[in-house]
Every structure is written in structure tokens, then in C-alpha cells.
Amino acid sequence: MLLFIMGEAAAAVKGGEPRHFPGFSFANSLPKDDQSYLGVSGRKNFSLKNIRGSVIIVEMFNTYCTICPRNVPILNDIYSLIENNPEVRGKIKVISIAIGNTSAEIASYRKAQAVRYPILADPDFALHRLLGDPRVPYTVIVRKGMIVHTHQGVMDTAEGMLGLARQYIKRD
């Protein structure tokens, strides 16, 4: 089933029911600003449940993916729209997860693409496998540990994806 919401081609969660985001632990090698943004300062490892925010937009990508950089300006816009709006700041977070990439590859990509939001590492594809090996870019909206929305491919607009995420903070 496909949903078309504000220009976003969005796949409903399989079976129409939310599913758990896998319990996966990330090594905390993030810059201090990113740690503070996510609320994980001082942690050696953390999972999505440790991130401060009720809704998390999570994009999975690979630094060698040729179309993945097309999502960066959209995600940067989402990040800015959230951080500049006190109504949603702190309630919605934006992250990317680089699958199969090293820290050096992530740092290079982040600089080259001018990424403003945190990028976490899944260097061994472990999380990617737990999610069913989706093609990238692959974006999910997670609320209270549950995947409530999925999107395959490049996003249409920042406003469309943010509008979807906002629907889920209203349910708290």
C-alpha cells in the first residue's frame, strides 16, 4: 500500500502496524555538539531509546551511494526547521546512519556534504541486516522505539517529512 501525503511517496509500515526499531548499540564517537543534541553526553555506547526526543527521523545511507547525497539538503532543512521552532525543538530529532562506512568515510562525507545533523556508524551492516537489508537511502520515523513510518529513496520535501513526524508528536 502506498500513501501520498503532502507530496511524499510513503510506504505504510508493513501490515499497517508499527514494528520495533531493533535494539542496537552505537559507539559514542560523536562530536560533543552532536552528543548534546541527542542527549547522550557521557555515554560510551547508546541506542535510539537513549536519544532525547519523542520522535526520531532516521535515514540509512552509504557514503558511496550516488543518490544518497540528494537527501542531505532536505535533512539539513528538516534539522533547521525543527531547531528554529520551539514547538517541536527537543521533541523531534534527525539522525543518519552510515551503513558499512568507517569513521573516516563518515567524517569526509559530512564535511563534503555540509551535513548539520549527527551521523552514526553501522560499519558492519549489523543494524542494516536487522532492518531487512533495505535499499538506501531508507528513512524511518521512530516513535517510542517503534517504526511508525518508512520511506524508500530520496525525500520530496523537508516540509513533507517533517509534517509526517509532527503527526506523531501530537499523539503523546
Side-chain angles (χ1 to χ4, degrees):
M1 170 166 102
L2 285 180
L3 304 173
F4 291 95
I5 302 171
M6 298 196 292
E8 291 287 327
V13 176
K14 189 174 184 173
E17 293 295 320
R19 61 186 171 109
H20 284 282
F21 190 88
F24 186 82
S25 185
F26 298 96
N28 192 353
S29 58
L30 295 171
K32 297 267 186 226
D33 288 348
D34 288 348
Q35 290 182 39
S36 178
Y37 167 74
L38 297 175
V40 296
S41 298
R43 290 180 175 271
K44 190 174 186 171
N45 296 297
F46 67 94
S47 67
L48 247 59
K49 70 180 179 182
N50 301 122
I51 295 174
R52 190 178 41 222
S54 59
V55 175
I56 306 168
I57 299 170
V58 182
E59 179 216 28
M60 265 73 60
F61 78 103
N62 180 278
T63 61
Y64 297 103
C65 166
T66 57
I67 65 166
C68 292
R70 292 173 45 198
N71 268 341
V72 172
I74 296 167
L75 289 164
N76 276 342
D77 286 349
I78 293 169
Y79 175 83
S80 293
L81 288 167
I82 291 166
E83 292 306 295
N84 292 320
N85 182 344
E87 186 179 308
V88 293
R89 184 183 25 217
K91 295 178 183 174
I92 302 174
K93 299 293 180 178
V94 177
I95 63 170
S96 281
I97 300 172
I99 56 169
N101 296 119
T102 65
S103 296
E105 289 168 325
I106 293 169
S108 175
Y109 181 88
R110 190 169 186 178
K111 183 176 181 181
Q113 300 298 327
V115 174
R116 293 187 213 138
Y117 47 88
I119 299 178
L120 311 178
D122 178 17
D124 301 322
F125 296 90
L127 176 61
H128 187 248
R129 278 192 294 278
L130 290 171
L131 288 167
D133 296 312
R135 298 186 86 175
V136 294
Y138 179 68
T139 306
V140 297
I141 296 176
V142 179
R143 177 180 178 266
K144 296 184 177 181
M146 302 296 288
I147 298 172
V148 294
H149 176 82
T150 63
H151 180 85
Q152 189 83 51
V154 176
M155 292 174 248
D156 291 332
T157 65
E159 292 81 7
M161 186 59 73
L162 182 55
L164 291 166
R166 286 177 73 120
Q167 291 176 19
Y168 293 102
I169 62 171
K170 292 178 182 174
R171 296 178 185 188
D172 283 339

